[in-house]
């Protein structure tokens, strides 16, 4: 904190009309550099007596040890990890291997979704074939949600949708 | 580390019409203190052919019988190298079938295969609940008329903040599809042809290297100008220990069995190094696909929930003893 006090003593300033701006907060960061010397002249002001300027005026943005919040720095993905380097490694095993393994046998994921592509209703119906009994026993809310969704989609697909709707 | 300099390599061109035996060597001048370097060449250029090209003990490969006839074009040639020294020795020159290694560079087929490899296993797990699945939203927020505000029926409508998404992603969704065997085999052939045409294909007799230090393999690939990333392909999934250990420690080097070869990996790695056994297997399998007479079958998914059941189904609703016939004791 810098204070540019007037030339007169603090005891004399009470009776005087003219007061000089006291830099209670650093108004500009330019004053902060190493070789700054306070102005020997009287600084103009004050305007708006008692008004404390809380914003930073001019100069470089302050850091104060707090970094400016930006988007995270771009870090390209490492494409040579073990998983990425050997991506797709057994996709042609039915051609180049002995013929007893199909690449579909090596797929991972939800069991009802392996090697199965369909619209939402067919996916939900297939999910119920696989998971229905288990959902009904342990997750009745989810079971009810899927049942209602199937009913809704049946009506939607058959009564409301046009021919080329997506999904 | 020793740096080998190839000063002059005198080679005789091998024509597929001439069947004479030719000893193929390169004269290599090496600095002293050379580790794993080739035998010392003659200090002075020799006049006689025999002294210039001394016969080595290892047998040479000068040709290779191709399984299917090549009437429409000519067989392509490739060196067979060894990996026991930094520079290696040229063990021979072999024929490659043009239907596998010299087809037209089909970029569209490569794209098709790479897209299939990426998408057929992809499952999108994004899920946005609909307005019926969100908590709350059952009550009418304010009366229909009289308030001056817009009419609304639910606070979870898509119009509202923190409301539902009308047509968002719905649950686990798969992008599975299958390319035909022909398309996939064509992709492999196109990738191999592109690798051969761009000098990125190397044939090696075997992967027996003297040490498992990764520095040996790094130096070897630097000397031979193999790319930053190298894909080693052997016949089976049992590899010599040294190459397996050293490849696992080098970033960008990967080793695969022949059945693991795929278009994506071939395009990802700059250099492709095949052993002779792997070459025989891959070329044989791809030629079989080209000349097969079986019809392209559509893939049909026949998985059922019973296939995943680990334990037999227990009859918990009715005890079998009650329903068994009385006569059996």
């Amino acid at each position: 904190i810098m204070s540019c006090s007037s030339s007169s003593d603090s005891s004399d300033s009470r009776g005087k009309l003219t007061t000089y701006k006291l830099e209670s907060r650093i108004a500009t960061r330019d004053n902060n550099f190493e070789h700054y010397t306070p102005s020997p002249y009287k600084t103009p002001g004050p305007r708006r007596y008692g008004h404390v300027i809380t914003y930073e005026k001019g100069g470089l943005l302050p850091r104060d040890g707090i970094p400016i919040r930006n988007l995270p720095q771009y870090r390209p993905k490492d494409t040579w990890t073990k998983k990425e380097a050997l991506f797709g490694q057994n996709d042609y095993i039915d051609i180049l291997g002995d013929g007893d393994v199909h690449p579909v046998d090596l797929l991972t994921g939800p069991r009802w979704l392996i090697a199965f592509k369909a619209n939402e209703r067919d996916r939900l119906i297939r999910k119920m074939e696989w998971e229905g009994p288990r959902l009904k026993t342990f997750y009745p809310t989810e079971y009810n949600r899927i049942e209602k969704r199937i009913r809704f989609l049946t009506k939607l697909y058959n009564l409301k949708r046009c021919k080329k709707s997506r999904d | 580390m020793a740096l080998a300099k190839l000063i002059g390599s005198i080679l005789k061109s091998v024509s597929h019409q001439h069947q004479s035996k030719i000893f193929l060597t390169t004269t290599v001048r090496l600095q002293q203190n050379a580790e794993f370097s080739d035998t010392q060449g003659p200090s002075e250029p020799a006049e006689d052919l025999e002294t210039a090209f001394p016969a080595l003990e290892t047998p040479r490969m000068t040709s290779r019988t191709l399984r299917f006839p090549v009437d429409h074009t000519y067989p392509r040639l490739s060196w067979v190298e060894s990996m026991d020294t930094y520079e290696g020795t040229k063990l021979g020159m072999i024929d490659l079938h043009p239907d596998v290694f010299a087809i037209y560079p089909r970029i569209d087929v490569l794209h098709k295969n790479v897209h299939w490899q990426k998408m057929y296993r992809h499952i999108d797990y994004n899920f946005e609940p609909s307005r019926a699945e969100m908590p709350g939203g059952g009550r009418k927020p304010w009366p229909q008329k009289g308030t001056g505000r817009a009419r609304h029926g639910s606070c979870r409508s898509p119009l509202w903040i923190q409301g539902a998404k009308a047509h968002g992603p719905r649950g686990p969704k798969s992008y599975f599809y299958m390319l035909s065997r022909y398309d996939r085999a064509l992709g492999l052939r196109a990738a191999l042809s592109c690798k051969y045409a761009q000098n990125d294909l190397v044939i090696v007799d075997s992967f027996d290297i003297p040490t498992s230090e990764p520095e040996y393999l790094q130096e070897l690939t630097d000397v031979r100008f193999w790319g930053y990333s190298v894909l080693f392909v052997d016949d089976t999934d049992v590899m010599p220990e040294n190459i397996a250990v050293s490849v696992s420690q080098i970033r960008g080097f990967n080793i695969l069995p022949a059945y693991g070869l795929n278009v994506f990996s071939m395009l990802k790695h700059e250099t492709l190094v095949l052993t002779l056994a792997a070459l025989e297997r891959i070329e044989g399998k791809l030629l079989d696909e080209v000349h097969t007479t079986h019809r392209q079958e559509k893939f049909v998914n026949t998985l059922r929930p019973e296939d995943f059941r680990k334990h037999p189904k227990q009859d918990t609703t009715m005890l079998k003893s009650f329903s068994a016939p009385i006569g059996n004791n």
Side-chain angles (χ1 to χ4, degrees), chain B residues 63-80:
Chain B
S63 66
R64 182 167 157 261
T65 50
L66 300 173
R67 276 176 52 210
F68 288 91
V70 179
D71 299 326
H72 49 291
T73 178
Y74 58 94
R76 302 304 194 267
L77 299 168
S78 171
W79 288 111
V80 180

Side-chain angles (χ1 to χ4, degrees), chain A residues 78-80 88-89 91-92 94-98 102 110 113-117 120 123 129-130 145 149, chain B residues 113 117 120-121 125 133 170 172 174 184 229 251 256 258 260 262-263 268-269 281 285 301 303-304:
Chain A
D78 184 10
T79 51
W80 288 105
Q89 62 173 324
D91 289 343
Y92 296 78
D94 58 334
I95 300 171
L96 296 172
D98 295 328
H102 198 269
L113 264 190
I114 289 171
F116 179 79
K117 182 169 92 168
E120 192 194 344
R123 275 184 272 134
E129 286 171 9
W130 259 259
R145 177 196 82 81
R149 186 72 188 170
Chain B
N113 275 262
Q117 282 192 268
Y120 93 109
R121 53 160 57 87
Y125 291 96
E133 291 157 356
R170 294 295 303 171
S174 102
R184 288 185 285 139
S229 48
R251 186 185 145 97
L256 284 178
N262 60 94
V263 174
K268 187 179 172 73
H269 297 80
R281 187 184 178 86
K285 292 285 183 185
N301 189 347
L303 287 173
R304 294 309 308 155

Side-chain angles (χ1 to χ4, degrees), chain A residues 62-109:
Chain A
R63 295 296 186 266
D64 295 335
I66 304 166
I68 291 179
R69 291 175 63 181
N70 273 332
L71 286 172
Q73 198 184 22
Y74 170 68
R75 290 167 69 186
K77 200 167 68 166
D78 184 10
T79 51
W80 288 105
T81 58
K82 275 212 167 15
K83 188 179 156 191
E84 295 277 336
L86 295 171
F87 178 82
Q89 62 173 324
N90 287 331
D91 289 343
Y92 296 78
I93 197 170
D94 58 334
I95 300 171
L96 296 172
D98 295 328
D100 50 354
V101 179
H102 198 269
V104 160
D105 304 334
L106 306 169
L107 289 179
T108 54

